Amino acid sequence: MQNQQQPVNAVQLDANMRIQQSGDNHFNWYSPLEKPFHIAGFGWLYEEKLYRRLPTKPDWKLSEAVDQLANCTAGGQIRFETYATSLSVKVKLTGTANMYHMTATGQCGFDCYIGGPGEQLYYGTTVYDHTLSEYEAVFFKDMARESRIITLNFPLYQGVEEVWIGLDREAQIAPPPAYENSGKIIVYGTSITQGGCAARPGMAYTNILSRRINREFLNLGFSGNGKGEPELAQILSNISDPACLILDYEANCVSTELLQRTLPEFIQIYRDKHPLTPILVMSITYAKEKFHDQMAQDRANRKQVQLRTVEQRRELGDANIYFYDGSNLLGEDAHECTVDGVHPTDLGFLRMANGLTPVLQKILTN
């Protein structure tokens, strides 16, 4: 708790809070859309009341693929503080797990962390029948009644139509600790950005970073379809209070020429609205490059495009744009850190976060 007072009962905190009582009279089910719960990671949530990563009717046209992928809830989080002895979730998904190289829990599950900023520890992941699109799962029960700060991470590769938080009837609820400030970290990129192929949601690298840097992160990775479209730059530039924009879309470009064409325009569109917001352009390696010379050469060429673009802008006076060479993010044994030579395992994502943490912390303190 951030203060010395006991939190009041959740029912008293907001008279309009939606509550469902379970039949066994041991649980109340709460909508996390209501106070004192806080939901992070959805830039348009409070206007549209949808767990969606882009607006449903943007001023700029989205491709059909990006529009569909925006329904995946990667990076979403439910945050609150409670004296509950039991915690469960009821979830209604838009579909079921359907990938051969990514776990059902990573695609469709929630996981739970306990602890305050910088002290969050993994507790558990939803256990459910992965053939179902609706499930109820218990995180913990019959725990000691003491203060716990809870973070629940949303699924990475599926949409969520509804989620309800189940707490024992005597549980008290309070808001989570405040972020360091209102500035948001916006991360735009690929399937790797989206979290493919983490075994559970909390291991996507943006979620790992959020446990180390007490800011709201918006994961705008679009599997195979974040290609630096100018329409996305326009939409991203409408997100209020940006603290940093990370561009991690190199791997989605089908050619070096596409990256060369889109990157300067994307940056300029964003700069027109946010002239001083830090921008971090990053390049990462594929483990398969050790076996495919052309793949290695293509990435080297694209890395140079990004480096030159950043250098040129800095020469013109843009002091708040940076390039990060992530060639060694996964380490010398990068081949042991992916599920398919491309998409990281949890180990790979942890190494990515380890490399990016000090870089991002330095940018944010400049």
Side-chain angles (χ1 to χ4, degrees):
M1 285 288 172
Q2 295 302 296
N3 54 53
Q4 299 302 311
Q5 294 181 341
Q6 296 282 326
V8 297
N9 187 278
V11 180
Q12 298 173 316
L13 281 166
D14 189 335
N16 297 316
M17 176 179 280
R18 290 179 287 161
I19 301 174
Q20 295 180 351
Q21 291 187 357
S22 62
D24 62 10
N25 291 324
H26 293 301
F27 287 91
N28 280 339
W29 292 94
Y30 301 93
S31 168
L33 292 169
E34 308 291 349
K35 296 179 179 180
F37 296 96
H38 177 258
I39 296 179
F42 302 107
W44 292 265
L45 176 74
Y46 293 102
E47 292 88 346
E48 302 195 355
K49 300 297 183 182
L50 295 173
Y51 302 121
R52 179 177 159 88
R53 295 181 295 151
L54 291 176
T56 54
K57 295 180 180 179
D59 294 332
W60 293 269
K61 183 175 177 59
L62 297 173
S63 71
E64 183 177 352
V66 169
D67 188 51
Q68 290 297 316
L69 288 163
N71 291 318
C72 297
T73 53
Q77 297 178 342
I78 301 169
R79 306 167 60 244
F80 60 102
E81 187 169 357
T82 183
Y83 275 76
T85 62
S86 300
L87 169 62
S88 299
V89 290
K90 287 197 295 191
V91 181
K92 183 178 181 181
L93 302 169
T94 57
T96 59
N98 58 6
M99 297 167 66
Y100 74 92
H101 64 335
M102 185 170 179
T103 66
T105 51
Q107 291 181 70
C108 303
F110 282 74
D111 65 11
C112 173
Y113 280 76
I114 299 176
E119 299 177 344
Q120 295 150 305
L121 298 177
Y122 168 68
Y123 183 83
T125 306
T126 48
V127 177
Y128 73 101
D129 182 345
H130 71 275
T131 66
L132 302 178
S133 60
E134 296 187 43
Y135 64 83
E136 182 177 327
V138 176
F139 281 117
F140 59 77
K141 61 182 180 179
D142 300 325
M143 297 269 276
R145 192 173 298 284
E146 61 186 36
S147 172
R148 296 181 181 89
I149 299 169
I150 304 292
T151 302
L152 303 180
N153 292 296
F154 275 77
L156 300 172
Y157 265 79
Q158 192 51 266
V160 174
E161 293 184 8
E162 293 183 11
V163 57
W164 293 84
I165 308 301
L167 303 173
D168 60 275
R169 294 287 300 279
E170 292 75 31
Q172 298 171 317
I173 317 171
Y179 288 122
E180 182 178 327
N181 61 48
S182 62
K184 304 176 183 70
I185 313 298
I186 304 164
V187 190
Y188 172 71
T190 67
S191 55
I192 295 173
T193 314
Q194 187 174 332
C197 291
R200 53 183 179 79
M203 291 309 294
Y205 82 80
T206 59
N207 282 337
I208 299 174
L209 289 172
S210 77
R211 296 192 290 276
R212 300 174 177 182
I213 298 173
N214 188 26
R215 306 282 188 103
E216 181 175 5
F217 280 72
L218 301 184
N219 183 320
L220 294 173
F222 300 106
S223 184
N225 286 279
K227 299 179 180 179
E229 303 95 325
E231 294 82 2
L232 266 295
Q234 297 282 5
I235 293 170
L236 267 60
S237 69
N238 282 335
I239 297 173
S240 62
D241 291 328
C244 183
L245 171 66
I246 300 176
L247 298 180
D248 178 24
Y249 77 90
E250 169 196 57
N252 272 352
C253 289
V254 296
S255 68
T256 302
E257 290 72 25
L258 177 62
L259 181 63
Q260 198 163 19
R261 184 174 72 252
T262 59
L263 183 61
E265 182 182 9
F266 197 105
I267 293 171
Q268 187 58 54
I269 290 171
Y270 196 80
R271 270 286 173 260
D272 287 343
K273 289 191 176 179
H274 301 285
L276 299 177
T277 299
I279 297 175
L280 175 62
V281 179
M282 58 181 285
S283 173
I284 61 174
T285 189
Y286 285 161
K288 279 186 176 178
E289 290 177 16
K290 291 184 178 294
F291 303 98
H292 300 280
D293 292 343
Q294 188 59 52
M295 180 183 286
Q297 186 59 55
D298 288 343
R299 197 192 66 81
N301 292 340
R302 293 169 195 178
K303 181 175 75 172
Q304 287 303 311
V305 166
Q306 294 173 99
L307 176 59
R308 287 198 302 270
T309 300
V310 170
E311 288 177 340
Q312 288 167 1
R313 291 201 64 94
R314 292 186 71 87
E315 289 169 1
L316 293 172
D318 188 346
N320 291 318
I321 189 166
Y322 308 88
F323 174 74
Y324 179 67
D325 182 358
S327 300
N328 297 314
L329 266 180
L330 299 186
E332 294 183 359
D333 55 349
H335 61 282
E336 300 286 19
C337 298
T338 77
V339 299
D340 55 5
V342 175
H343 297 91
T345 60
D346 291 359
L347 174 61
F349 279 124
L350 184 63
R351 290 184 177 179
M352 287 184 67
N354 287 345
L356 286 167
T357 297
V359 175
L360 188 53
Q361 287 174 329
K362 184 176 180 180
I363 289 173
L364 293 172
T365 56
N366 281 349

